[in-house]
Amino acid sequence: MELQDMNRRLWAAVPAVAFGGILVSAVALLVSGESIMNVYHPYWAIGKWACVAASVILAYVAYQKKRKDLVSLLAPLYAVLILLTGDFSGGPIMQTVYAATITILAVRLEKRFE
């Protein structure tokens, strides 16, 4: 597969990485016997960092387009401000909402900014 073909399909990695990290966090909590509703458990950091990684992938995809999408380019900054600073819990609900948001941005980027 050529690099250009891989870049065309890279937008699909955004929801896979984001929701995959959240799923890994939830499974890790279930396997360890901890409560999944404990939003301050350290295992939820896996989901946080997966959302940050998915945001970086989204920004890379946005940077590769001819027309630049400022919102998608700033997604890693949003991830750090929302998930890694102390104002929000950063638990599973926030991670899921953020993952859904960047998934919508990835689809929007692929459809509108070709």
Side-chain angles (χ1 to χ4, degrees):
M1 186 180 331
E2 292 182 20
L3 183 63
Q4 190 175 13
D5 289 337
M6 189 174 75
N7 282 343
R8 279 191 212 141
R9 295 189 180 110
L10 193 59
W11 70 271
V14 173
V17 170
F19 286 112
I22 296 167
L23 183 64
V24 166
S25 295
V27 169
L29 280 169
L30 291 174
V31 168
S32 69
E34 298 287 331
S35 172
I36 201 165
M37 299 314 265
N38 183 4
V39 297
Y40 297 107
H41 197 281
Y43 284 166
W44 285 118
I46 299 168
K48 287 180 187 179
W49 285 105
C51 287
V52 171
S55 296
V56 170
I57 294 170
L58 178 64
Y60 174 75
V61 172
Y63 185 74
Q64 295 299 318
K65 299 286 185 180
K66 289 180 183 175
R67 291 178 49 209
K68 307 295 186 220
D69 179 25
L70 187 62
V71 176
S72 296
L73 286 171
L74 293 176
L77 177 66
Y78 299 147
V80 169
L81 290 176
I82 292 171
L83 296 172
L84 299 181
T85 58
D87 288 346
F88 301 105
S89 72
I93 294 172
M94 182 64 75
Q95 291 174 21
T96 305
V97 169
Y98 186 79
T101 303
I102 61 174
T103 299
I104 292 168
L105 281 176
V107 171
R108 175 181 163 261
L109 183 68
E110 185 62 25
K111 298 300 178 193
R112 283 196 181 171
F113 291 87
E114 289 186 42

